[in-house]
Amino acid sequence: EAPAPSGKDKKKAAAPESPARWVGLDVPVVETSGRVIVTGEPGLVGIPTKGPKAPDLTTTKTDQELAASTEGTVEQFFRAYAGGDTEAVTAPGASVPPLPEGVEYKGLVTWSIDEGTGDDRTGTARVSWTLGEGTVEQTYRVELTRVSSAEAARWQVADVRGGTL
């Protein structure tokens, strides 16, 4: 029997591209005092045969070389993000509020950066956190900017948002 792929092998495996399609998800929520709160676990449900067409989503290619060279920067950022002090790992002028107390960085599961050019680039990070007795994985969109001086240039985090868009 072949050994299971290591964490590094899992990072390099890319899902095959497929066209956009609707997937039904029932998410129980309650609206109270002007807020919407998720009250339970979501569940897959069937989709009616008539309804809106799935949106055309643009697929982005990955810049594998830049992803590999910035992975350490992104790991360092998320470690600092959990620790509440991102000033040293963010670009000048960036403001990233800290995560709530008690969130611990477990690891960077995957990191990819969109193909493109220039000194501002965006990528997708999947991060594992420990919160209390549980572990949760979260997807983030991370904006990087190249910061240069007379002697050196490096990538730093300019912004981070939850989700994939």
Side-chain angles (χ1 to χ4, degrees):
E1 186 173 303
S6 70
K8 291 226 180 254
D9 292 338
K10 287 181 185 177
K11 288 182 186 177
K12 293 179 182 174
E17 291 185 27
S18 60
R21 65 185 177 106
W22 285 111
V23 175
L25 191 61
D26 185 12
V27 181
V29 297
V30 64
E31 187 274 327
T32 181
S33 303
R35 297 179 4 182
V36 176
I37 301 168
V38 175
T39 61
E41 292 185 26
L44 288 171
V45 294
I47 304 281
T49 55
K50 294 184 180 191
K53 177 186 170 284
D56 290 327
L57 301 176
T58 58
T59 56
T60 305
K61 294 187 180 191
T62 299
D63 183 332
Q64 293 183 1
E65 186 177 321
L66 185 57
S69 70
T70 57
E71 185 172 350
T73 299
V74 173
E75 279 192 280
Q76 184 181 13
F77 167 78
F78 280 107
R79 188 176 310 281
Y81 195 31
D85 183 14
T86 60
E87 189 172 326
V89 294
T90 54
S95 175
V96 179
L99 290 173
E101 203 169 300
V103 176
E104 294 180 26
Y105 176 75
K106 188 171 179 185
L108 183 64
V109 178
T110 60
W111 166 243
S112 65
I113 194 157
D114 304 346
E115 275 190 348
T117 59
D119 291 340
D120 297 306
R121 303 288 290 279
T122 302
T124 303
R126 184 119 180 113
V127 180
S128 181
W129 304 104
T130 301
L131 182 58
E133 299 295 317
T135 297
V136 63
E137 283 189 9
Q138 185 69 48
T139 302
Y140 296 90
R141 288 294 281 169
V142 180
E143 291 181 26
L144 296 180
T145 191
R146 187 188 322 254
V147 178
S148 301
S149 69
E151 290 95 38
R154 67 179 186 270
W155 290 95
Q156 289 187 302
V157 173
D159 192 27
V160 63
R161 295 179 307 280
T164 56
L165 297 176

